[in-house]
Amino acid sequence: MGQKPQKGRQTANGARERILAAALEVFAERGFDGAHTREIAERAGANLGLIKYYFNDKERLWKASVARSFAELQADLAGEPGNGVGTRDRLVRGVRQFVRFLARHPEFMRLMNDEAKRDSRRMRWLADHYVRPMSKLLDAQFELAQAEGVMAPIQPVSLRYIVLGAAGLIFSQAPECRYISGVDPTDSEFAERHADAVVQLLTASGRRTGAKAHVKRQQ
């Protein structure tokens, strides 16, 4: 008789992590309904039965792959610079870390864009567990930057989506970018220049206006 997979051994061999990485790619490419666990297993180089063993069904696999990505993003953003670092430097660091993450994982932005465009149970799960909490932190940081004249006094909701678009659209549409311009946006050197551009876009308008922002937070 076949033996049940030993969870510790399989995890040590990286099977679970490979499945999660492959799942994010396939979900981003096919959408949730178009994704098949067989393709995910094949891309991960793992036995199909391991998906059932670790995640039980496709929806739990989807949630686990998303949670894994947000955990990595949050870890990248969490390493705050030391005390005494100015608001602009904190903002610059956050933008750079976000752009670097997206350059490594363009599939993350594709999945988020796909799920955010429809009012579904998965969109609400994403919003409640990850997007809303992170948005509150971003809004607080942006408000401080606006109050110090680092950023233009743009209403928080608009500013949040402007930042997401400026930082992430090029990675979500990487195939188009490669085809039109011959540039691979996921290249690490290009990603650093793109981060420079996003920082300049966000902070130049603040310097020009010299505005002290007192923007009323939208409900």
Side-chain angles (χ1 to χ4, degrees):
M1 293 180 61
Q3 294 183 342
K4 188 176 182 179
Q6 295 181 20
K7 188 171 182 178
R9 184 177 66 197
Q10 291 291 347
T11 302
N13 291 339
R16 189 177 188 279
E17 289 300 302
R18 293 199 309 275
I19 290 171
L20 289 173
L24 193 74
E25 293 177 359
V26 175
F27 285 129
E29 292 170 14
R30 315 283 189 211
F32 180 83
D33 293 333
H36 297 287
T37 55
R38 185 174 298 278
E39 181 181 3
I40 293 171
E42 289 175 355
R43 194 173 297 197
N47 190 294
L48 181 61
L50 286 177
I51 292 180
K52 175 72 173 176
Y53 177 72
Y54 285 127
F55 308 105
N56 192 49
D57 57 31
K58 188 168 77 167
E59 182 164 351
R60 291 185 185 181
L61 173 59
W62 180 87
K63 288 183 176 180
S65 67
V66 169
R68 173 181 179 269
S69 296
F70 270 102
E72 182 178 344
L73 174 59
Q74 289 167 340
D76 285 353
L77 297 176
E80 290 289 340
N83 294 330
V85 175
T87 299
R88 185 183 186 280
D89 289 340
R90 290 179 183 275
L91 178 67
V92 169
R93 182 190 180 281
V95 168
R96 288 196 180 283
Q97 292 296 87
F98 185 51
V99 169
R100 289 166 181 165
F101 172 82
L102 294 179
R104 296 196 308 272
H105 302 293
E107 66 277 6
F108 173 84
M109 199 69 182
R110 294 184 193 123
L111 182 145
M112 294 298 294
N113 287 344
D114 183 58
E115 294 293 347
K117 70 186 181 184
R118 60 180 68 87
D119 189 357
S120 67
R121 186 177 71 251
R122 289 189 306 278
M123 182 280 287
R124 291 173 180 271
W125 182 87
L126 277 170
D128 291 340
H129 284 79
Y130 298 106
V131 179
R132 196 190 308 276
M134 292 191 73
S135 294
K136 289 180 179 179
L137 293 175
L138 282 175
D139 288 352
Q141 186 173 18
F142 291 162
E143 281 189 347
L144 181 60
Q146 289 175 325
E148 295 185 9
V150 175
M151 301 176 74
I154 301 170
Q155 59 184 350
V157 174
S158 296
L159 182 57
R160 191 187 318 135
Y161 284 97
I162 288 169
V163 172
L164 287 173
L169 183 63
I170 195 170
F171 301 109
S172 178
Q173 299 184 191
E176 178 188 82
C177 180
R178 293 188 194 100
Y179 181 72
I180 292 176
S181 65
V183 171
D184 180 4
T186 65
D187 175 78
S188 59
E189 291 186 7
F190 177 86
E192 291 300 316
R193 294 196 299 273
H194 182 64
D196 290 339
V198 176
V199 168
Q200 184 176 3
L201 179 68
L202 294 178
T203 60
S205 58
R207 290 198 301 272
R208 283 199 303 270
T209 61
K212 297 294 183 179
H214 299 286
V215 182
K216 183 179 181 180
R217 184 186 296 273
Q218 289 190 349
Q219 299 299 321

